[in-house]
Amino acid sequence: MNNFYIKVYKVVQQIPKGKVTSYGRIAEMIGHPNAARAVGYALSALRNPDSNSPYTSQTVPWFRVVNSQGRISINHRETTANRQALILQEEGVEIGPNLKINLEKHLWQGLHIVEVDDILKELG
DNA sequence: ATGGTGACTCGCG
DNA sequence: GCGCGAGCCACCA
């Protein structure tokens, strides 16, 4: 588990219940503005966490991360996509047709780079 | 080192 | 709005 993954997970853990953000925004927050795909890769890795890793699909709210269009990015044929939509609905996020979310209402403000540094320092 | 694979984005047509 | 192509990044073989 490298530093990049750690940063992604810690920032995602800051997303409040009922809010969402995108892979690209997460990437910007940790100082890798063009690493959106890598962020998605990091979250997918939560499905098979290392035995002693504190970061798992149970401790990191991966379901609060969607694509820049406010849509769930997982292949819709996979049950994971429906599970993500269900969890979000349960915590108050309105899901429209085609698993689309109203970002105007549910987009997380996010963190500034300085705040990210504080998070990484105190928790890591 | 090298090429292939994604839970990404942006710009075009 | 939708599909494509092209960058981009971390991983793995």
Side-chain angles (χ1 to χ4, degrees), chain A residues 70-85:
Chain A
R71 313 228 292 133
I72 291 177
S73 279
I74 308 172
N75 185 331
H76 295 359
R77 287 177 299 183
E78 300 280 343
T79 58
T80 307
N82 295 318
R83 182 149 49 88
Q84 178 172 5

Side-chain angles (χ1 to χ4, degrees), chain A residues 38-56:
Chain A
V39 171
Y41 193 95
L43 293 185
S44 69
L46 289 172
R47 294 180 300 187
N48 302 72
D50 293 343
S51 60
N52 56 358
S53 172
Y55 306 106
T56 70

